[in-house]
Amino acid sequence: RVALLDLGAKENIARSLAMRGCDVTVYPAGTSAEEILADRPDGIMLSNGPGDPKECGPIIEQIRRLYESDVPIFAICLGHQLMALATGADTHKMKYGHRGANQPVKDLESGRVYISSQNHGYEVLKESLPKGAEETFINVNDGTCEGITYRDIPAFTVQFHPEACAGPKDT
């Protein structure tokens, strides 16, 4: 049972989860953490979406409450940025942003490079990551943070769109 917090989610996210056997419940962006947790999800997904992550103060506060619950969290794109802000990291507007289906990202654990689909203009500043947050993916073109694993809580995030088929293998 996956709770999908809709921050501007693409329909394919819920479809991809359902195709993998998940029972997906979609919650609007303004939903309280308590309402989501009351439904007892096995995991929480924070979706992609538009805009400056720092303008999402009330949502960031709800995300803080979600990660305090110990329910596993996975986040993509805007969700990745909001999770970082909720845990004390910082974000920054990029000069050009990452757009399109041809962004190379490197998995720092395996060394493998994936071609990913992206559409964002903000980045998580890796030097601001709090203790317990480890950068796990980087953009090969500019070295920006593309993924984080949180070692103190059951959470990991990616900046790219993992349900998109940008390269020969899906991420």
Side-chain angles (χ1 to χ4, degrees), residues 1-5 13-14 16-18 20-27 36 39-46 71-74:
R1 295 176 6 125
V2 176
L4 172 58
L5 186 60
I13 294 170
S16 293
L17 288 168
R20 287 165 174 80
C22 297
D23 178 16
V24 181
T25 303
V26 180
Y27 296 87
I36 293 170
D39 288 340
R40 303 177 56 88
D42 297 308
I44 300 165
M45 172 165 276
L46 310 177
V71 175
I73 298 173
F74 176 62

Side-chain angles (χ1 to χ4, degrees), residues 118-167:
Q118 300 190 24
N119 186 22
H120 64 94
Y122 292 85
E123 67 175 305
V124 173
L125 298 174
K126 59 183 141 197
E127 62 273 8
S128 73
L129 292 177
K131 183 178 181 197
E134 179 183 329
E135 182 180 44
T136 52
F137 287 90
I138 61 167
N139 187 288
V140 176
N141 290 332
D142 62 14
T144 55
C145 179
E146 292 282 350
I148 302 168
T149 295
Y150 295 85
R151 301 295 181 197
D152 299 338
I153 56 175
F156 65 103
T157 68
V158 294
Q159 180 63 72
F160 52 90
H161 296 251
E163 85 293 355
C165 296

Side-chain angles (χ1 to χ4, degrees), residues 10 20 63 66 78 87 108 114 116 121 128 157 170:
K10 295 185 291 181
R20 287 165 174 80
I63 292 170
L66 290 172
L78 179 63
T87 60
L108 295 177
Y114 298 92
S116 69
S128 73
T157 68
D170 206 353

Side-chain angles (χ1 to χ4, degrees), residues 91-109:
T91 59
H92 175 75
K93 183 168 177 54
M94 302 172 78
K95 186 171 182 177
Y96 298 110
H98 296 157
R99 315 276 181 216
N102 60 348
Q103 292 290 325
V105 294
K106 182 176 183 178
D107 179 335
L108 295 177
E109 187 173 312

